[in-house]
Amino acid sequence: MTKRPSQSVALARAEHARLGAEIAAHDRRYYQDDAPTVSDADYDALRRRYEALEKAFPELKAAGSLSDTVGAAPSEKFAKVRHAVPMLSLGNIFADEDVEEFCARVRRFLGLSDDMALAMTAEPKIDGLSCTLRYEDGALVRAATRGDGYEGEDVTANVRTIDAIPNHLAGAPSVFEARGEVYMRHADFRALNARQAEAGKPTFANPRNAAAGSLRQLDPRITAGRPLAFFAYAWGEVSEAFAATQFEAIAAMGRFGLPTNPLTRLCRSAAEMLAQYRAVEAQRASLGYDIDGVVYKVDDLALQQRLGFVSRSPRWAVAHKFPAERATTVLEGIEIQVGRTGALTPVARLRPVTVGGVVVANATLHNEDEIARKDVRIGDTVVVQRAGDVIPQVVEVVPDKRPPGAEPYRFPETCPVCGSAALREIDEKTGEADVVRRCTGQLVCAAQAVEGLKHFCSRNAFDIEGLGDKQIELFFKEGLIRTAADIFTLRARDGQGRPPLRDWEGFGETSVKNLFDAIDARRAIAFNRFLFALGIRRIGETNARRFARHFGDWETFRAAARAPDAAAELGAIDGIGPVVAESVADFFAEARNEAALDALLAQVTVEPMEAIAANHPLAGKTIVFTGSLERMSRDEAKAMAERLGAKVSGSISARTDLVVAGPGAGSKLTKARDLGVETIDEEEWLRRSAGA
Ligand code: IVH
């Protein structure tokens, strides 16, 4: 179908061989190194082109094809599943003192004194991939991966083939979403790799990759042949309460028929938690499966509920990680990457080395000051550290091994991409230089433009399938896409003044159609995603969500952000600091940004935020807390209001709907009375938040 009539077999053979080598290299990086260098979408495009060639020239297949090997786990082939309850992640701690600090933080939030009991569970942190299993009337109806936490992939057919996961539960609530980790035992992992090697197929670098690769197989028959295991440790949507504590919940899941981890313990103090951490650490090597730490969770589910979440992780749980693994290798070079905001980031190019089972060839050097502080020089032998899924880092230099003549590293003072001056901003308050050196060529720097477009299309922003990093780089280079708005006119402009995309190398009829369709599918987008996609400095997902929740719809927000006193107005929103507010105001004050926005808004529709808990009487209200509260901490009250869909603000204005005033409330209370804003005390607040 992709066959271009003029293409000779010889040309096709050359392209087939080139693509084959490229795909094999990506497979190696993905499955063995756990360090993919292309997005799934890009990988998929390569794979599609490869298969299209084989279809058009069947003789190529005889020469040995990748098409039948393990390889691809292309995410877009699985249907998406929206999680009714998001699958969030955990904060990490590393030091012993952090355990005490975690307990203290929980106590502070709940207003518990030191002598009141606070039980925690300690569970091994399984190093696999998390999965949610939905049971209805006892029968497994859907299984999904975590994905970005809000939307995962439907892997039901594969999960049904896993022996360790029951297809039926006994005695569970009628809707029961069990959550836990799919993993592979060491012995099974070794046997699988031996079979792979024998069959001339790629082997896996570690059990986690093997588990992920096996679960995300397009053909469930392949998954069926893979020895996967499962531990349940959490749950999503459930039709009725089934336990009062975390510990009981795990026991209940065991009774329903789900496998649970036998090393789960109930601890009554930080000292007991640490002791359990040590005990688990001591058994780590003999468990027969990988764990990378211990997870502590507040045992009482009612307290968990009160504690709630900050951003993407629960306040009621934390992962205490085992120490990072280290190795030494040679620093072969330092590459400077230019990011979306112009930040110059040094990346260490390393002689590849295995750190904790994974081959590492790149590591972060953080910034200019860190390079200077550690006196890192090209040619040095360096210590590289890798902790869990974070980017490996260069920790220090081994001084004895420095080669003669190694020169101190000079950090560039101009942008390696556009040549503009790269400067370190001076903080007005402290007078200190920012650690980050930034390219000043904002509107002329190709690196910033390209990175901005990549961000715009990325998974948590516009999420345009088929428009991955590689395609964006190509389209930018060819002048086809220069701004975000250009993406949406791609179909209309196709073929104008240049060959149509389907004739470009690496593209074809189908992939181009899919790309255009994927773009059209994103012409309507949620407010928070849209705002995040713009790539305004300091507006990450959390702040984008805060603005979206506060303003509800895009137009109201834009009007506020353009107002003469925008920085002050935005800075008054709960959770938004002056620096963030300033950054947004600066963006909207720049005429060229406004013009780019108008061009974009001519192409896409920004959807208002769905009101959260819209039926609660406090939903949509703007509330200000002032004075001290006695029954809960200020943080808890805020979190509670937000859960009900209310907006919490730090200052009183005519837009304030309600003021909750405790003892000691001062000028804010006076102002509220002056403005005629309704004022209530803590008792009344508790009554109303309970829905009374
Ligand atoms: S609880 C809302 N418990 O660790 C909290 N997670 O770093 C949900 N994990 O995505 C997670 N063992 O894949 C929890 N006993 C355990 C775990 C565990 C492994 C994984 C899980 C999660 C990740 C967070």
Side-chain angles (χ1 to χ4, degrees), residues 46 56 95 191 196 204 207 242 282 328 350 382 411 466 513 643 645 674:
L46 286 177
Q196 290 284 112
F204 297 99
F242 67 105
T328 56
L350 304 167
V382 293
F411 203 91
K513 182 185 177 298
R643 260 202 303 272
D674 289 348

Side-chain angles (χ1 to χ4, degrees), residues 34 208 324-326 355-358 360 384-388 390 392-393:
D34 192 30
R208 178 163 50 82
E325 299 178 82
R326 293 180 168 202
V355 190
V358 169
V360 172
V384 185
Q385 165 173 307
R386 189 184 142 263
V390 304
Q393 46 181 315

Side-chain angles (χ1 to χ4, degrees), residues 233-549:
Y233 51 68
W235 55 95
E237 191 182 350
V238 291
S239 53
E240 65 196 87
F242 67 105
T245 66
Q246 176 74 21
F247 200 75
E248 279 173 22
I250 292 179
M253 290 197 284
R255 285 195 303 277
F256 299 160
L258 290 158
T260 56
N261 193 287
L263 293 176
T264 303
R265 293 284 178 280
L266 194 57
C267 303
R268 313 216 165 261
S269 66
E272 282 185 33
M273 289 153 74
L274 256 181
Q276 180 59 13
Y277 174 84
R278 298 258 177 276
V280 171
E281 191 178 23
Q283 296 176 66
R284 186 180 184 187
S286 58
L287 287 178
Y289 52 87
D290 280 350
I291 60 173
D292 57 347
V294 170
V295 182
Y296 306 124
K297 298 176 186 169
V298 170
D299 189 42
D300 185 328
L301 299 186
L303 295 184
Q304 283 191 7
Q305 173 86 24
R306 279 176 60 191
L307 284 153
F309 296 81
V310 222
S311 195
R312 287 168 161 258
S313 9
R315 279 196 196 83
W316 45 265
V318 78
H320 189 174
K321 302 291 279 280
F322 292 136
E325 299 178 82
R326 293 180 168 202
T328 56
T329 187
V330 176
L331 176 69
E332 295 184 329
I334 295 178
E335 189 184 304
I336 304 292
Q337 292 181 344
V338 184
R340 180 164 57 82
T341 58
L344 268 48
T345 310
V347 177
R349 299 284 175 228
L350 304 167
R351 184 170 296 165
V353 61
T354 306
V355 190
V358 169
V359 179
V360 172
N362 305 311
T364 177
L365 282 161
H366 300 289
N367 56 52
E368 187 171 349
D369 290 351
E370 282 295 293
I371 296 180
R373 190 177 65 76
K374 295 170 189 158
D375 186 18
V376 179
R377 305 184 185 191
I378 293 168
D380 271 344
T381 293
V382 293
V383 177
V384 185
Q385 165 173 307
R386 189 184 142 263
D389 37 16
V390 304
I391 305 168
Q393 46 181 315
V394 171
V395 187
E396 62 190 9
V397 167
V398 184
D400 306 348
K401 298 213 172 150
R402 171 162 292 164
E407 296 279 339
Y409 180 72
R410 285 202 47 177
F411 203 91
E413 292 175 2
T414 54
C415 171
V417 175
C418 72
S420 302
L423 304 176
R424 297 175 65 168
E425 279 172 27
I426 308 291
D427 186 307
E428 282 171 27
K429 280 202 203 106
T430 63
E432 275 172 40
D434 189 1
V435 290
V436 179
R437 190 176 282 280
R438 278 176 213 279
C439 162
T440 53
Q442 265 151 36
L443 294 149
V444 298
C445 182
Q448 292 189 50
V450 170
E451 292 309 311
L453 287 167
K454 287 180 188 170
H455 170 79
F456 185 88
C457 296
S458 64
R459 189 158 76 165
N460 297 335
F462 265 76
D463 190 21
I464 300 179
E465 276 177 21
L467 201 49
D469 294 358
K470 281 274 145 58
Q471 285 84 357
I472 291 171
E473 279 165 18
L474 175 69
F475 292 166
F476 189 88
K477 196 174 97 220
E478 297 294 327
L480 200 54
I481 294 182
R482 290 285 159 142
T483 68
D486 293 344
I487 295 169
F488 296 93
T489 57
L490 206 54
R491 192 199 289 265
R493 289 183 291 119
D494 192 32
Q496 287 177 8
R498 63 178 105 222
L501 263 184
R502 62 168 183 276
D503 288 346
W504 289 31
E505 163 138 24
F507 291 85
E509 194 89 42
T510 323
S511 62
V512 171
K513 182 185 177 298
N514 289 345
L515 171 61
F516 289 161
D517 289 349
I519 292 171
D520 283 341
R522 294 292 185 267
R523 283 183 190 272
I525 183 165
F527 178 1
N528 59 316
R529 275 180 178 258
F530 181 77
L531 179 55
F532 173 65
L534 296 182
I536 301 172
R537 230 174 118 190
R538 304 193 172 92
I539 306 299
E541 282 182 87
T542 304
N543 281 336
R545 222 178 274 276
R546 282 190 181 127
F547 281 119
R549 232 185 272 157

